[in-house]
Amino acid sequence: MTGPGGSLHLRSLCKRYGSYPAVDSVDLQIERGEFLTLLGPSGSGKTTLLMMIAGFQDITSGDILLDGTSIANTPAEKRNFGMVFQGYALFPHMTVKDNIAYPLSVRKRPKAEIAARVAEMLDLVRLTPFAKRFPKELSGGQQQRVALARALCFAPPVLLLDEPLGALDKKLRIEVQAQLKDIHQRVGTTFVYVTHDQEEALSMSDRIVIMQNGRIEQVGTPSDLYQQPKTAFAASFLGKSNFLRRDGAVFALRPEKIDLAPAGAGQGANKVSGAVQSVTYFGAVLKYQVAVPGMDPIEVDVDAWRGGAALPEGARVDLTWSETAAVRLTDQTL
Amino acid sequence: MRLPIQSGWLLVLPFLLLVGGLFLGPILNILWLSVTDPTPGLGNYAQLVTSDTLGRILWTTIRVCVICTVFSVLFGYSIAYAMVHAAGPTQSRMLSLLLVSFWISVLVRTFSWLMLLGRNGVVNSGLEALGIISQPIPFMRNELGVLIGMIHYMVPYAVLPILASMQSIDGRVVQASRSLGATGAQTLWRVYLPLTRAGVVAASLLVFIINLGFYVIPAVLGGGKVLMVAEYISVQVLVTLQWGTAAMLAALLLFGVLTLLFIMSRFMKLSTVFGGART
Ligand SMILES: Nc1ncnc2c1ncn2[C@@H]1O[C@H](COP(=O)(O)OP(=O)(O)OP(=O)(O)O)[C@@H](O)[C@H]1O
Ligand SMILES: [Mg+2]
């Protein structure tokens, strides 16, 4: 229903505040129609990077190319990128309909075309019955969808979203995630999505960029990043990890990839023995903390339905894992 | 046991009595005078239609007040806009300059204008010395002079409510407008102005109401040629001793102000106007 998405190329992009690098030589190729997520802790430079792409933050050095053409000197209003702000930034004095029509009416499109397009967008975000309401008469999730419809209304090649679900409660957030993903597939626009919620990143993205201190830590598909983290930061920021030191290298080992058995029952080359320190029941899984002499406590997830009754604290256990389960990291130390 | 009235009222009771005695009393007295002096009846009010002088004075007053309000709010809007967009230190410097102008007496400011723009003022003698003009430009002792003085005096009053309403705008809304492709002018006209409307209305009301009662500036800078209601009232009270006419005009001003407030209250909640912020 919308034109094809645009591709973005960020070339050694930097933003310094004084001498502080908020974004530090970022190189990134964003493909046409991709759902790309910038994930990182607070202060890692996600918003700054997004605002540079949007044109609201000037570039200290580097370049941004849209479909091969530099847009570094194009002002924000000429870039034609849709943007969904944290807190939505809807126009409080306009109805839902006028909010959505705004990008078309400032482009002086014919009335009939605007009306048809707005109706189409209202339908897309399922807000047709709310067209005449004002933003303050809507729930958070509804406002979020108005912001999305407004930003998509003029068929931008790229849509930028800064923590668009940050203000929603957990349950609503999961619902809107699914809607957002569905809309992305239908419109074919390139989405650049900022979040610090790792589950959100894993469930929605085609690729995830993990950022730290203004730099890209690692880029990859959700399963790449989860199965093959390159650094301890990536391994611990996306999901949980145990870290093991072996032969002068550091390995990451996911809690659910470890088999736990009563002492003596464990088989295999990768095996350590220890004692149960604590066990917590989470419905689907049992989380064990196992104290192993000479190592940090190891966390192990066991499917609750498989293991029968939980082993008591102090019980002696063997921990085993397959050769491929432990991933060698580039870090030399922790 | 509950008091028949909320006890908080007891605290303000003495002040209510003071206000009632010292404020409402004289006002009622004025209203009373306007229908009893010199003879009982509506004779004083009838002058409004019969007397050419009164008609001219009222027309001058309204014309001067409207022009002054328009320009004060225009300048005030630009200054407030510059202030909210200035960096922190510049902004506080601008605010203190604005407040300083509140502390300078209206007399000082009025006579300063005479020294600047009068027949032998700095500007005229400068221009003459440079040979640009041969006759002094009549800035002062006419309606232009009154307008210059009044606008200069009223601009800070216009700035404050507008500034408050601008400060309550979420900067992301303006960014959103730009990201959606609006030009600067479109953003100003379709987003910024509507969101600051309450501030503009409050500023206009405030300026207009204060203008209605202006006395010193028209008297000094008008050179006797620009007679406005306040000055005329003072003449009636002090010189010709026609208290009835004076009381009638005072009552008229009072009702004018109340009517304005009433009309505005139909359009928006007065609390938001004077709070300066949108709800
Ligand atoms: N105007 C500014 N002046 C100086 N430093 C700034 C400015 N804006 C941001 N920074 C710094 O740049 C860094 C990156 O900020 P940014 O807002 O991009 O982080 P973020 O990843 O979006 O964080 P969050 O998840 O909290 O929104 C932070 O350390 C911040 O303190
Ligand atoms: Mg941010």
Side-chain angles (χ1 to χ4, degrees), chain A residues 56 77 81 85-86 89 91-93 102-103 105-108 150 154, chain B residues 172-173 175-182 186 190-191 194-195 278:
Chain A
F56 290 120
E77 55 269 30
F81 290 175
F85 292 79
Q86 184 161 17
F91 303 127
H93 59 295
Y102 188 82
S105 78
V106 296
R107 286 173 174 77
K108 307 210 164 59
R150 185 179 68 173
F154 57 107
Chain B
R172 280 176 300 193
V173 170
Q175 282 190 340
S177 170
R178 285 184 58 198
S179 81
L180 295 168
Q186 282 171 326
R190 302 186 52 172
V191 176
L195 289 182
R278 74 202 141 87

PDB file of all heavy atoms in Angstrom, chain A residues 56 77 81 85-86 89 91-93 102-103 105-108 150 154, chain B residues 172-173 175-182 186 190-191 194-195 278:
ATOM      1  N   PHE A  56      17.457  16.188  13.131  1.00  0.00           N
ATOM      2  CA  PHE A  56      17.278  17.122  14.245  1.00  0.00           C
ATOM      3  C   PHE A  56      18.574  17.330  15.024  1.00  0.00           C
ATOM      4  O   PHE A  56      18.647  18.163  15.908  1.00  0.00           O
ATOM      5  CB  PHE A  56      16.189  16.644  15.195  1.00  0.00           C
ATOM      6  CG  PHE A  56      14.826  16.732  14.596  1.00  0.00           C
ATOM      7  CD1 PHE A  56      14.046  15.600  14.451  1.00  0.00           C
ATOM      8  CD2 PHE A  56      14.327  17.947  14.155  1.00  0.00           C
ATOM      9  CE1 PHE A  56      12.793  15.673  13.881  1.00  0.00           C
ATOM     10  CE2 PHE A  56      13.079  18.029  13.584  1.00  0.00           C
ATOM     11  CZ  PHE A  56      12.311  16.886  13.448  1.00  0.00           C
ATOM     12  N   GLU A  77      12.743  18.725   7.627  1.00  0.00           N
ATOM     13  CA  GLU A  77      11.435  18.756   6.961  1.00  0.00           C
ATOM     14  C   GLU A  77      11.512  18.341   5.494  1.00  0.00           C
ATOM     15  O   GLU A  77      10.494  18.064   4.870  1.00  0.00           O
ATOM     16  CB  GLU A  77      10.777  20.139   7.105  1.00  0.00           C
ATOM     17  CG  GLU A  77      11.600  21.310   6.617  1.00  0.00           C
ATOM     18  CD  GLU A  77      12.474  21.899   7.724  1.00  0.00           C
ATOM     19  OE1 GLU A  77      12.882  21.152   8.635  1.00  0.00           O
ATOM     20  OE2 GLU A  77      12.767  23.115   7.669  1.00  0.00           O
ATOM     21  N   PHE A  81      11.161  11.682   6.231  1.00  0.00           N
ATOM     22  CA  PHE A  81      11.150  10.484   7.067  1.00  0.00           C
ATOM     23  C   PHE A  81       9.997  10.597   8.058  1.00  0.00           C
ATOM     24  O   PHE A  81       9.803  11.646   8.661  1.00  0.00           O
ATOM     25  CB  PHE A  81      12.449  10.358   7.878  1.00  0.00           C
ATOM     26  CG  PHE A  81      13.654  10.026   7.043  1.00  0.00           C
ATOM     27  CD1 PHE A  81      14.905   9.982   7.629  1.00  0.00           C
ATOM     28  CD2 PHE A  81      13.533   9.742   5.696  1.00  0.00           C
ATOM     29  CE1 PHE A  81      16.030   9.678   6.872  1.00  0.00           C
ATOM     30  CE2 PHE A  81      14.646   9.431   4.932  1.00  0.00           C
ATOM     31  CZ  PHE A  81      15.894   9.406   5.527  1.00  0.00           C
ATOM     32  N   PHE A  85       7.650   9.803  18.019  1.00  0.00           N
ATOM     33  CA  PHE A  85       8.441  10.263  19.152  1.00  0.00           C
ATOM     34  C   PHE A  85       8.044   9.528  20.423  1.00  0.00           C
ATOM     35  O   PHE A  85       6.915   9.067  20.557  1.00  0.00           O
ATOM     36  CB  PHE A  85       8.218  11.758  19.369  1.00  0.00           C
ATOM     37  CG  PHE A  85       8.772  12.617  18.273  1.00  0.00           C
ATOM     38  CD1 PHE A  85       8.084  12.768  17.082  1.00  0.00           C
ATOM     39  CD2 PHE A  85       9.977  13.266  18.430  1.00  0.00           C
ATOM     40  CE1 PHE A  85       8.591  13.557  16.067  1.00  0.00           C
ATOM     41  CE2 PHE A  85      10.496  14.063  17.425  1.00  0.00           C
ATOM     42  CZ  PHE A  85       9.808  14.200  16.242  1.00  0.00           C
ATOM     43  N   GLN A  86       8.992   9.473  21.334  1.00  0.00           N
ATOM     44  CA  GLN A  86       8.655   9.001  22.671  1.00  0.00           C
ATOM     45  C   GLN A  86       7.669  10.005  23.255  1.00  0.00           C
ATOM     46  O   GLN A  86       7.881  11.206  23.193  1.00  0.00           O
ATOM     47  CB  GLN A  86       9.908   8.944  23.535  1.00  0.00           C
ATOM     48  CG  GLN A  86       9.660   8.370  24.899  1.00  0.00           C
ATOM     49  CD  GLN A  86      10.947   7.891  25.554  1.00  0.00           C
ATOM     50  OE1 GLN A  86      12.032   8.248  25.150  1.00  0.00           O
ATOM     51  NE2 GLN A  86      10.806   7.071  26.566  1.00  0.00           N
ATOM     52  N   ALA A  89       4.027  13.040  20.884  1.00  0.00           N
ATOM     53  CA  ALA A  89       4.026  14.394  20.314  1.00  0.00           C
ATOM     54  C   ALA A  89       2.883  14.614  19.336  1.00  0.00           C
ATOM     55  O   ALA A  89       3.062  15.195  18.265  1.00  0.00           O
ATOM     56  CB  ALA A  89       5.378  14.684  19.643  1.00  0.00           C
ATOM     57  N   PHE A  91      -0.516  16.517  18.030  1.00  0.00           N
ATOM     58  CA  PHE A  91      -0.934  17.909  18.150  1.00  0.00           C
ATOM     59  C   PHE A  91      -2.188  17.955  19.016  1.00  0.00           C
ATOM     60  O   PHE A  91      -3.242  17.468  18.609  1.00  0.00           O
ATOM     61  CB  PHE A  91      -1.207  18.503  16.767  1.00  0.00           C
ATOM     62  CG  PHE A  91      -0.024  18.407  15.841  1.00  0.00           C
ATOM     63  CD1 PHE A  91      -0.145  17.837  14.594  1.00  0.00           C
ATOM     64  CD2 PHE A  91       1.221  18.874  16.242  1.00  0.00           C
ATOM     65  CE1 PHE A  91       0.957  17.745  13.741  1.00  0.00           C
ATOM     66  CE2 PHE A  91       2.325  18.783  15.403  1.00  0.00           C
ATOM     67  CZ  PHE A  91       2.185  18.216  14.153  1.00  0.00           C
ATOM     68  N   PRO A  92      -2.099  18.539  20.221  1.00  0.00           N
ATOM     69  CA  PRO A  92      -3.210  18.441  21.163  1.00  0.00           C
ATOM     70  C   PRO A  92      -4.455  19.198  20.707  1.00  0.00           C
ATOM     71  O   PRO A  92      -5.556  18.887  21.149  1.00  0.00           O
ATOM     72  CB  PRO A  92      -2.650  19.052  22.449  1.00  0.00           C
ATOM     73  CG  PRO A  92      -1.482  19.861  22.035  1.00  0.00           C
ATOM     74  CD  PRO A  92      -0.945  19.246  20.775  1.00  0.00           C
ATOM     75  N   HIS A  93      -4.283  20.176  19.800  1.00  0.00           N
ATOM     76  CA  HIS A  93      -5.416  21.002  19.393  1.00  0.00           C
ATOM     77  C   HIS A  93      -6.083  20.473  18.129  1.00  0.00           C
ATOM     78  O   HIS A  93      -6.967  21.128  17.599  1.00  0.00           O
ATOM     79  CB  HIS A  93      -4.944  22.436  19.183  1.00  0.00           C
ATOM     80  CG  HIS A  93      -3.870  22.565  18.136  1.00  0.00           C
ATOM     81  ND1 HIS A  93      -2.622  22.001  18.290  1.00  0.00           N
ATOM     82  CD2 HIS A  93      -3.866  23.153  16.928  1.00  0.00           C
ATOM     83  CE1 HIS A  93      -1.892  22.270  17.216  1.00  0.00           C
ATOM     84  NE2 HIS A  93      -2.629  22.960  16.374  1.00  0.00           N
ATOM     85  N   TYR A 102      -2.339  15.901   8.666  1.00  0.00           N
ATOM     86  CA  TYR A 102      -1.380  17.018   8.698  1.00  0.00           C
ATOM     87  C   TYR A 102      -0.257  16.912   7.653  1.00  0.00           C
ATOM     88  O   TYR A 102      -0.046  17.855   6.887  1.00  0.00           O
ATOM     89  CB  TYR A 102      -0.800  17.152  10.104  1.00  0.00           C
ATOM     90  CG  TYR A 102       0.050  18.369  10.332  1.00  0.00           C
ATOM     91  CD1 TYR A 102      -0.517  19.604  10.614  1.00  0.00           C
ATOM     92  CD2 TYR A 102       1.443  18.293  10.265  1.00  0.00           C
ATOM     93  CE1 TYR A 102       0.258  20.721  10.823  1.00  0.00           C
ATOM     94  CE2 TYR A 102       2.234  19.413  10.474  1.00  0.00           C
ATOM     95  CZ  TYR A 102       1.634  20.622  10.755  1.00  0.00           C
ATOM     96  OH  TYR A 102       2.407  21.732  10.960  1.00  0.00           O
ATOM     97  N   PRO A 103       0.468  15.780   7.591  1.00  0.00           N
ATOM     98  CA  PRO A 103       1.567  15.733   6.619  1.00  0.00           C
ATOM     99  C   PRO A 103       1.093  15.907   5.181  1.00  0.00           C
ATOM    100  O   PRO A 103       1.840  16.437   4.353  1.00  0.00           O
ATOM    101  CB  PRO A 103       2.181  14.348   6.834  1.00  0.00           C
ATOM    102  CG  PRO A 103       1.209  13.597   7.658  1.00  0.00           C
ATOM    103  CD  PRO A 103       0.410  14.578   8.427  1.00  0.00           C
ATOM    104  N   SER A 105      -1.761  17.693   4.316  1.00  0.00           N
ATOM    105  CA  SER A 105      -2.293  19.041   4.098  1.00  0.00           C
ATOM    106  C   SER A 105      -1.167  20.069   4.050  1.00  0.00           C
ATOM    107  O   SER A 105      -1.282  21.053   3.340  1.00  0.00           O
ATOM    108  CB  SER A 105      -3.372  19.383   5.120  1.00  0.00           C
ATOM    109  OG  SER A 105      -2.799  19.731   6.342  1.00  0.00           O
ATOM    110  N   VAL A 106      -0.050  19.849   4.769  1.00  0.00           N
ATOM    111  CA  VAL A 106       1.053  20.806   4.608  1.00  0.00           C
ATOM    112  C   VAL A 106       1.719  20.632   3.239  1.00  0.00           C
ATOM    113  O   VAL A 106       2.408  21.526   2.767  1.00  0.00           O
ATOM    114  CB  VAL A 106       2.145  20.694   5.712  1.00  0.00           C
ATOM    115  CG1 VAL A 106       1.575  21.031   7.062  1.00  0.00           C
ATOM    116  CG2 VAL A 106       2.810  19.339   5.703  1.00  0.00           C
ATOM    117  N   ARG A 107       1.490  19.486   2.593  1.00  0.00           N
ATOM    118  CA  ARG A 107       2.001  19.311   1.229  1.00  0.00           C
ATOM    119  C   ARG A 107       0.985  19.762   0.194  1.00  0.00           C
ATOM    120  O   ARG A 107       1.168  19.534  -0.995  1.00  0.00           O
ATOM    121  CB  ARG A 107       2.355  17.832   0.997  1.00  0.00           C
ATOM    122  CG  ARG A 107       3.632  17.407   1.709  1.00  0.00           C
ATOM    123  CD  ARG A 107       3.845  15.910   1.586  1.00  0.00           C
ATOM    124  NE  ARG A 107       5.127  15.510   2.133  1.00  0.00           N
ATOM    125  CZ  ARG A 107       5.394  15.396   3.428  1.00  0.00           C
ATOM    126  NH1 ARG A 107       4.439  15.658   4.305  1.00  0.00           N
ATOM    127  NH2 ARG A 107       6.585  15.023   3.858  1.00  0.00           N
ATOM    128  N   LYS A 108      -0.136  20.349   0.683  1.00  0.00           N
ATOM    129  CA  LYS A 108      -1.168  20.926  -0.183  1.00  0.00           C
ATOM    130  C   LYS A 108      -1.720  19.925  -1.187  1.00  0.00           C
ATOM    131  O   LYS A 108      -1.906  20.223  -2.367  1.00  0.00           O
ATOM    132  CB  LYS A 108      -0.634  22.168  -0.910  1.00  0.00           C
ATOM    133  CG  LYS A 108      -0.043  23.194   0.053  1.00  0.00           C
ATOM    134  CD  LYS A 108      -0.194  24.595  -0.500  1.00  0.00           C
ATOM    135  CE  LYS A 108       0.022  25.655   0.567  1.00  0.00           C
ATOM    136  NZ  LYS A 108       1.333  25.627   1.212  1.00  0.00           N
ATOM    137  N   ARG A 150      -0.026   8.884  11.588  1.00  0.00           N
ATOM    138  CA  ARG A 150       0.390  10.201  11.123  1.00  0.00           C
ATOM    139  C   ARG A 150       1.753  10.116  10.440  1.00  0.00           C
ATOM    140  O   ARG A 150       1.984  10.733   9.408  1.00  0.00           O
ATOM    141  CB  ARG A 150       0.458  11.147  12.332  1.00  0.00           C
ATOM    142  CG  ARG A 150       0.758  12.576  11.984  1.00  0.00           C
ATOM    143  CD  ARG A 150       0.785  13.445  13.222  1.00  0.00           C
ATOM    144  NE  ARG A 150       1.919  13.130  14.075  1.00  0.00           N
ATOM    145  CZ  ARG A 150       2.243  13.840  15.158  1.00  0.00           C
ATOM    146  NH1 ARG A 150       1.522  14.868  15.524  1.00  0.00           N
ATOM    147  NH2 ARG A 150       3.289  13.504  15.884  1.00  0.00           N
ATOM    148  N   PHE A 154       2.144   9.849   4.789  1.00  0.00           N
ATOM    149  CA  PHE A 154       2.701  10.390   3.537  1.00  0.00           C
ATOM    150  C   PHE A 154       3.669   9.410   2.893  1.00  0.00           C
ATOM    151  O   PHE A 154       4.513   9.795   2.086  1.00  0.00           O
ATOM    152  CB  PHE A 154       3.352  11.746   3.779  1.00  0.00           C
ATOM    153  CG  PHE A 154       4.453  11.753   4.819  1.00  0.00           C
ATOM    154  CD1 PHE A 154       5.776  11.876   4.439  1.00  0.00           C
ATOM    155  CD2 PHE A 154       4.155  11.665   6.160  1.00  0.00           C
ATOM    156  CE1 PHE A 154       6.789  11.891   5.397  1.00  0.00           C
ATOM    157  CE2 PHE A 154       5.163  11.677   7.122  1.00  0.00           C
ATOM    158  CZ  PHE A 154       6.472  11.789   6.730  1.00  0.00           C
TER     159      PHE A 154
ATOM    160  N   ARG B 172       8.883  18.578  21.337  1.00  0.00           N
ATOM    161  CA  ARG B 172       8.778  17.480  20.377  1.00  0.00           C
ATOM    162  C   ARG B 172       7.620  17.681  19.406  1.00  0.00           C
ATOM    163  O   ARG B 172       7.637  17.161  18.297  1.00  0.00           O
ATOM    164  CB  ARG B 172       8.598  16.155  21.122  1.00  0.00           C
ATOM    165  CG  ARG B 172       9.912  15.613  21.655  1.00  0.00           C
ATOM    166  CD  ARG B 172       9.694  14.371  22.452  1.00  0.00           C
ATOM    167  NE  ARG B 172       8.819  14.645  23.574  1.00  0.00           N
ATOM    168  CZ  ARG B 172       8.638  13.824  24.594  1.00  0.00           C
ATOM    169  NH1 ARG B 172       9.248  12.680  24.630  1.00  0.00           N
ATOM    170  NH2 ARG B 172       7.827  14.141  25.578  1.00  0.00           N
ATOM    171  N   VAL B 173       6.593  18.457  19.856  1.00  0.00           N
ATOM    172  CA  VAL B 173       5.461  18.706  18.965  1.00  0.00           C
ATOM    173  C   VAL B 173       5.923  19.529  17.760  1.00  0.00           C
ATOM    174  O   VAL B 173       5.519  19.277  16.628  1.00  0.00           O
ATOM    175  CB  VAL B 173       4.339  19.431  19.736  1.00  0.00           C
ATOM    176  CG1 VAL B 173       3.266  19.912  18.791  1.00  0.00           C
ATOM    177  CG2 VAL B 173       3.747  18.504  20.778  1.00  0.00           C
ATOM    178  N   GLN B 175       9.064  19.607  16.649  1.00  0.00           N
ATOM    179  CA  GLN B 175       9.896  18.687  15.860  1.00  0.00           C
ATOM    180  C   GLN B 175       9.021  17.764  15.027  1.00  0.00           C
ATOM    181  O   GLN B 175       9.315  17.488  13.863  1.00  0.00           O
ATOM    182  CB  GLN B 175      10.777  17.838  16.781  1.00  0.00           C
ATOM    183  CG  GLN B 175      11.982  18.577  17.314  1.00  0.00           C
ATOM    184  CD  GLN B 175      12.952  17.651  18.020  1.00  0.00           C
ATOM    185  OE1 GLN B 175      12.596  16.547  18.433  1.00  0.00           O
ATOM    186  NE2 GLN B 175      14.178  18.084  18.165  1.00  0.00           N
ATOM    187  N   ALA B 176       7.926  17.285  15.646  1.00  0.00           N
ATOM    188  CA  ALA B 176       7.029  16.390  14.918  1.00  0.00           C
ATOM    189  C   ALA B 176       6.501  17.084  13.676  1.00  0.00           C
ATOM    190  O   ALA B 176       6.490  16.513  12.591  1.00  0.00           O
ATOM    191  CB  ALA B 176       5.873  15.947  15.816  1.00  0.00           C
ATOM    192  N   SER B 177       6.107  18.346  13.828  1.00  0.00           N
ATOM    193  CA  SER B 177       5.580  19.084  12.690  1.00  0.00           C
ATOM    194  C   SER B 177       6.623  19.149  11.573  1.00  0.00           C
ATOM    195  O   SER B 177       6.311  18.925  10.404  1.00  0.00           O
ATOM    196  CB  SER B 177       5.167  20.483  13.132  1.00  0.00           C
ATOM    197  OG  SER B 177       4.879  21.282  12.019  1.00  0.00           O
ATOM    198  N   ARG B 178       7.861  19.434  11.942  1.00  0.00           N
ATOM    199  CA  ARG B 178       8.915  19.500  10.919  1.00  0.00           C
ATOM    200  C   ARG B 178       9.141  18.135  10.287  1.00  0.00           C
ATOM    201  O   ARG B 178       9.289  18.011   9.075  1.00  0.00           O
ATOM    202  CB  ARG B 178      10.221  19.991  11.540  1.00  0.00           C
ATOM    203  CG  ARG B 178      10.227  21.466  11.834  1.00  0.00           C
ATOM    204  CD  ARG B 178      11.568  21.905  12.365  1.00  0.00           C
ATOM    205  NE  ARG B 178      12.642  21.596  11.426  1.00  0.00           N
ATOM    206  CZ  ARG B 178      13.928  21.547  11.768  1.00  0.00           C
ATOM    207  NH1 ARG B 178      14.287  21.754  13.020  1.00  0.00           N
ATOM    208  NH2 ARG B 178      14.845  21.285  10.874  1.00  0.00           N
ATOM    209  N   SER B 179       9.163  17.090  11.117  1.00  0.00           N
ATOM    210  CA  SER B 179       9.427  15.761  10.558  1.00  0.00           C
ATOM    211  C   SER B 179       8.316  15.342   9.611  1.00  0.00           C
ATOM    212  O   SER B 179       8.513  14.505   8.741  1.00  0.00           O
ATOM    213  CB  SER B 179       9.595  14.730  11.673  1.00  0.00           C
ATOM    214  OG  SER B 179       8.338  14.306  12.145  1.00  0.00           O
ATOM    215  N   LEU B 180       7.128  15.933   9.761  1.00  0.00           N
ATOM    216  CA  LEU B 180       6.023  15.583   8.874  1.00  0.00           C
ATOM    217  C   LEU B 180       6.029  16.437   7.615  1.00  0.00           C
ATOM    218  O   LEU B 180       5.113  16.363   6.808  1.00  0.00           O
ATOM    219  CB  LEU B 180       4.695  15.735   9.614  1.00  0.00           C
ATOM    220  CG  LEU B 180       4.531  14.758  10.778  1.00  0.00           C
ATOM    221  CD1 LEU B 180       3.352  15.123  11.646  1.00  0.00           C
ATOM    222  CD2 LEU B 180       4.387  13.344  10.267  1.00  0.00           C
ATOM    223  N   GLY B 181       7.055  17.288   7.473  1.00  0.00           N
ATOM    224  CA  GLY B 181       7.229  18.001   6.211  1.00  0.00           C
ATOM    225  C   GLY B 181       6.743  19.440   6.223  1.00  0.00           C
ATOM    226  O   GLY B 181       6.734  20.081   5.181  1.00  0.00           O
ATOM    227  N   ALA B 182       6.327  19.962   7.390  1.00  0.00           N
ATOM    228  CA  ALA B 182       5.823  21.337   7.425  1.00  0.00           C
ATOM    229  C   ALA B 182       6.985  22.327   7.360  1.00  0.00           C
ATOM    230  O   ALA B 182       8.018  22.111   7.985  1.00  0.00           O
ATOM    231  CB  ALA B 182       5.011  21.569   8.688  1.00  0.00           C
ATOM    232  N   GLN B 186       4.520  27.143   8.172  1.00  0.00           N
ATOM    233  CA  GLN B 186       3.370  26.261   8.441  1.00  0.00           C
ATOM    234  C   GLN B 186       3.361  25.804   9.898  1.00  0.00           C
ATOM    235  O   GLN B 186       2.319  25.746  10.536  1.00  0.00           O
ATOM    236  CB  GLN B 186       3.420  25.042   7.518  1.00  0.00           C
ATOM    237  CG  GLN B 186       2.948  25.351   6.103  1.00  0.00           C
ATOM    238  CD  GLN B 186       3.215  24.201   5.164  1.00  0.00           C
ATOM    239  OE1 GLN B 186       4.208  23.488   5.289  1.00  0.00           O
ATOM    240  NE2 GLN B 186       2.326  24.005   4.209  1.00  0.00           N
ATOM    241  N   ARG B 190       0.194  26.725  12.114  1.00  0.00           N
ATOM    242  CA  ARG B 190      -0.753  25.644  12.366  1.00  0.00           C
ATOM    243  C   ARG B 190      -0.520  24.925  13.679  1.00  0.00           C
ATOM    244  O   ARG B 190      -1.400  24.215  14.171  1.00  0.00           O
ATOM    245  CB  ARG B 190      -0.713  24.656  11.203  1.00  0.00           C
ATOM    246  CG  ARG B 190      -1.036  25.359   9.893  1.00  0.00           C
ATOM    247  CD  ARG B 190      -1.144  24.423   8.755  1.00  0.00           C
ATOM    248  NE  ARG B 190      -2.057  23.324   9.036  1.00  0.00           N
ATOM    249  CZ  ARG B 190      -2.434  22.458   8.120  1.00  0.00           C
ATOM    250  NH1 ARG B 190      -1.985  22.553   6.901  1.00  0.00           N
ATOM    251  NH2 ARG B 190      -3.256  21.486   8.440  1.00  0.00           N
ATOM    252  N   VAL B 191       0.673  25.048  14.247  1.00  0.00           N
ATOM    253  CA  VAL B 191       0.939  24.353  15.511  1.00  0.00           C
ATOM    254  C   VAL B 191       1.268  25.351  16.622  1.00  0.00           C
ATOM    255  O   VAL B 191       0.636  25.365  17.671  1.00  0.00           O
ATOM    256  CB  VAL B 191       2.092  23.338  15.345  1.00  0.00           C
ATOM    257  CG1 VAL B 191       2.441  22.699  16.670  1.00  0.00           C
ATOM    258  CG2 VAL B 191       1.698  22.276  14.339  1.00  0.00           C
ATOM    259  N   PRO B 194      -1.690  28.186  17.431  1.00  0.00           N
ATOM    260  CA  PRO B 194      -2.848  27.647  18.147  1.00  0.00           C
ATOM    261  C   PRO B 194      -2.507  27.210  19.574  1.00  0.00           C
ATOM    262  O   PRO B 194      -3.305  27.387  20.483  1.00  0.00           O
ATOM    263  CB  PRO B 194      -3.256  26.436  17.306  1.00  0.00           C
ATOM    264  CG  PRO B 194      -2.695  26.679  15.961  1.00  0.00           C
ATOM    265  CD  PRO B 194      -1.472  27.504  16.143  1.00  0.00           C
ATOM    266  N   LEU B 195      -1.300  26.674  19.769  1.00  0.00           N
ATOM    267  CA  LEU B 195      -0.954  26.198  21.108  1.00  0.00           C
ATOM    268  C   LEU B 195      -0.645  27.347  22.060  1.00  0.00           C
ATOM    269  O   LEU B 195      -0.637  27.167  23.266  1.00  0.00           O
ATOM    270  CB  LEU B 195       0.243  25.238  21.035  1.00  0.00           C
ATOM    271  CG  LEU B 195      -0.069  23.886  20.397  1.00  0.00           C
ATOM    272  CD1 LEU B 195       1.157  22.990  20.404  1.00  0.00           C
ATOM    273  CD2 LEU B 195      -1.213  23.201  21.124  1.00  0.00           C
ATOM    274  N   ARG B 278      -2.122  25.762  28.494  1.00  0.00           N
ATOM    275  CA  ARG B 278      -3.237  24.972  27.987  1.00  0.00           C
ATOM    276  C   ARG B 278      -3.506  23.861  28.991  1.00  0.00           C
ATOM    277  O   ARG B 278      -2.632  23.457  29.745  1.00  0.00           O
ATOM    278  CB  ARG B 278      -2.886  24.412  26.603  1.00  0.00           C
ATOM    279  CG  ARG B 278      -1.905  23.270  26.639  1.00  0.00           C
ATOM    280  CD  ARG B 278      -1.224  23.150  25.281  1.00  0.00           C
ATOM    281  NE  ARG B 278       0.173  22.838  25.444  1.00  0.00           N
ATOM    282  CZ  ARG B 278       0.638  21.597  25.559  1.00  0.00           C
ATOM    283  NH1 ARG B 278      -0.174  20.577  25.536  1.00  0.00           N
ATOM    284  NH2 ARG B 278       1.910  21.366  25.702  1.00  0.00           N
TER     285      ARG B 278
END
